[in-house]
């Protein structure tokens, strides 16, 4: 996306700047006014990858600090980490995949905590969520796609895994259509995984930004409407921020549980 | 038609299309999410001991329905870029 062009309308100018700020930009000091756009062919630290690295460091620090002194009766940060890990193991893996699911806990735990920490970090004002760009989320979708197909092929064998795309008892004339539909639905999975997470994060930040722009305009151009717009926008800002925190956790949960469901489907592919 | 006029028409129609994509997409997703929620509450009231498993299934369905609505949102941004 190009740099913001000078627009006469303050609302338009604000939204243009907001969209520009939320686009992927190379990180060079203050990146707000830089006209050049991001070139994917070059390896550059962008604003999103920068905050993703910070989230990575924070995740590592959190678990290292939390598990430094394991205690029988958990307390403090250790308790928090244990509750999170136990939640992923029992409510995500065991609930969806049964006792077999504990084998896949490391992968699903990684997905869950990566998405969770990135989403939550994005709620601290100068930070951007690493998951707020299609590059990251689509890549995670592809990783999940590769992993669950790999597990399915390893468990059932390539022939039986592909054969499982056609449910037993399908009439012969219908089988090719079902097969094509199933292939399409499999390839749609990484795309929907990526778009769901990206759009949730992006939409949340756009909403917050729009209400911040309303507040800025109300302060800058004082009019009778300012006294209505300002408090209303402020209330919306607070409510939306709370909602964003909820969405951050919910999206991490949905991403991880869908991963578990896909792996479960691949594991039991030959049974139906 | 003049080039400039054509540009204005295309630009305004793309904005209209973006609004329609998001709005109509949102209607479907909203109906779907409402149905998921109401049916889950109904089932939970009928069989409270199943609440945990119902909730898990509800979130899976919720995620899938939501993705459709958000496709409209992404499409809206793509359409707005048309100039």
């Amino acid at each position: 996306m190009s740099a913001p062009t000078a627009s006469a309308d303050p609302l338009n100018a604000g939204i243009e700047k907001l969209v520009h700020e939320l686009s992927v930009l190379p990180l060079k000091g203050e990146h707000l006014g830089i006209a050049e756009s991001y070139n994917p062919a070059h390896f550059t630290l962008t604003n999103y990858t920068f905050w993703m690295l910070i989230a990575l460091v924070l995740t590592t620090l959190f678990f290292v600090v939390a598990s430094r002194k394991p205690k029988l009766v958990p307390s403090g940060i250790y308790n928090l980490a244990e509750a999170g890990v136990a939640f992923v193991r029992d409510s995500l893996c065991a609930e969806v995949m049964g006792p077999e699911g504990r084998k896949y806990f490391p992968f699903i735990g990684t997905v869950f905590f990566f998405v969770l920490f990135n989403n939550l970090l994005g709620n601290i004002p100068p930070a951007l969520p690493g998951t707020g760009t299609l590059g990251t989320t689509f890549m995670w979708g592809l990783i999940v796609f590769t992993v669950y197909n790999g597990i399915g092929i390893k468990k059932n064998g390539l022939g039986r895994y592909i054969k499982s795309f056609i449910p037993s008892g399908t009439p012969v004339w219908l089988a090719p259509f079902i097969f094509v539909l199933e292939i399409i639905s499999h390839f749609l999975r990484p795309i929907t995984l990526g778009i769901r997470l990206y759009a949730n994060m992006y939409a949340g930040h756009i909403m917050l930004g729009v209400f911040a722009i309303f507040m800025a305009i109300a302060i800058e151009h004082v009019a009778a409407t300012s006294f209505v717009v300002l408090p209303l926008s402020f209330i919306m800002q607070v409510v939306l921020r709370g909602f964003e925190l909820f969405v951050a956790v919910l999206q991490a949960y949905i991403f991880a549980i869908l991963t578990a469901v896909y792996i479960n489907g691949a594991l039991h592919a030959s049974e139906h | 038609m003049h080039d400039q006029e054509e540009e204005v028409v295309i630009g305004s129609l793309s904005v209209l299309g973006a609004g329609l994509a998001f709005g109509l997409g949102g209607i479907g997703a909203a109906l779907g999410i409402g149905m998921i929620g109401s049916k889950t509450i109904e089932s939970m009231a009928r069989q409270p001991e199943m609440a945990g498993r119902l909730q898990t299934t509800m979130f899976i369905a919720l995620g899938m329905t939501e993705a459709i609505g958000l496709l409209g949102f992404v499409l809206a941004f793509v359409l707005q870029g048309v100039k």
Side-chain angles (χ1 to χ4, degrees):
Chain A
M1 273 171 217
S2 57
T5 43
S7 187
D9 185 15
L11 182 63
N12 247 342
I15 288 175
E16 259 171 40
K17 200 178 163 199
L18 174 71
V19 170
H20 176 70
E21 242 179 89
L22 284 176
S23 60
V24 180
L25 300 163
L27 194 80
K28 273 186 203 156
E30 30 120 25
H31 53 259
L32 301 184
I34 289 179
E36 76 173 292
S37 58
Y38 167 61
N39 183 358
H42 294 167
F43 182 80
T44 3
L45 198 62
T46 66
N47 46 1
Y48 280 98
T49 42
F50 172 72
W51 288 110
M52 199 159 73
L53 286 176
I54 299 234
L56 205 65
V57 171
L58 283 177
T59 320
T60 316
L61 264 180
F62 175 72
F63 282 109
V64 166
V65 168
S67 60
R68 211 179 31 193
K69 281 181 273 170
K71 282 170 285 186
L72 198 59
V73 182
S75 64
I77 191 171
Y78 179 71
N79 196 5
L80 186 67
E82 196 183 285
V85 169
F87 169 75
V88 176
R89 194 191 59 193
D90 299 335
S91 308
L92 275 175
C93 301
E95 177 86 33
V96 175
M97 294 189 271
E100 209 182 353
R102 293 204 174 177
K103 217 166 83 191
Y104 304 102
F105 163 65
F107 177 65
I108 292 168
T110 310
V111 171
F112 179 76
F113 285 110
F114 175 86
V115 176
L116 180 70
F117 272 78
N118 270 298
N119 287 356
L120 286 179
L121 185 72
N123 272 314
I124 301 167
L128 291 164
T131 45
T133 167
L134 208 45
T136 314
T137 55
F138 191 54
M139 204 59 227
W140 267 110
L142 280 180
I143 291 170
V144 169
F145 179 76
T146 317
V147 165
Y148 88 76
N149 278 313
I151 288 171
I153 290 167
K154 203 176 144 201
K155 180 89 196 264
N156 304 294
L158 186 62
R160 274 172 72 200
Y161 184 60
I162 289 177
K163 228 198 247 140
S164 74
F165 287 178
I166 306 162
S168 56
T170 314
V172 180
W173 58 273
L174 203 63
F177 297 104
I178 299 275
F179 185 74
V180 170
L181 267 179
E182 198 71 5
I183 294 274
I184 291 172
S185 90
H186 273 270
F187 275 102
L188 274 178
R189 282 173 177 185
I191 297 170
T192 51
L193 269 180
I195 285 183
R196 178 182 309 114
L197 184 55
Y198 153 74
N200 263 294
M201 290 299 111
Y202 191 71
H205 280 72
I206 290 272
M207 285 290 280
L208 284 169
V210 165
F211 281 105
I213 290 168
F214 284 165
M215 283 166 76
I217 292 172
I219 292 169
E220 222 171 287
H221 310 273
V222 182
T225 48
S226 286
F227 299 98
V228 185
V229 170
L230 197 58
L232 270 183
S233 299
F234 183 74
I235 292 166
M236 277 310 284
Q237 189 89 346
V238 174
V239 171
L240 275 176
R241 187 62 81 178
F243 183 66
E244 276 308 293
L245 283 172
F246 167 70
V247 164
V249 179
L250 182 72
Q251 286 310 313
Y253 176 70
I254 286 179
F255 200 98
I257 207 163
L258 282 175
T259 308
V261 167
Y262 294 159
I263 291 177
N264 188 47
L267 276 177
H268 303 294
S270 56
E271 284 166 23
H272 47 76
Chain B
M1 219 191 286
H2 297 298
D3 277 0
Q4 209 174 356
E5 253 179 71
E6 206 173 330
E7 234 172 67
V8 170
V9 169
I10 289 173
S12 45
L13 282 181
S14 73
V15 172
L16 187 67
L20 282 176
F22 185 35
L24 295 178
I27 289 175
L31 279 176
I33 290 173
M35 272 181 209
I36 291 165
S38 75
K39 286 286 167 192
T40 312
I41 294 167
E42 214 177 286
S43 318
M44 275 178 180
R46 225 172 259 198
Q47 270 182 299
E49 69 276 7
M50 285 283 285
R53 286 184 63 194
L54 283 172
Q55 224 163 26
T56 313
T57 322
M58 182 193 82
F59 278 122
I60 297 167
L62 200 71
M64 286 174 175
T65 316
E66 193 189 33
I68 314 265
L70 289 168
L71 276 177
F73 172 79
V74 173
L75 197 65
F77 268 90
V78 173
L79 283 174
Q80 261 201 322
V82 179
K83 262 176 195 153

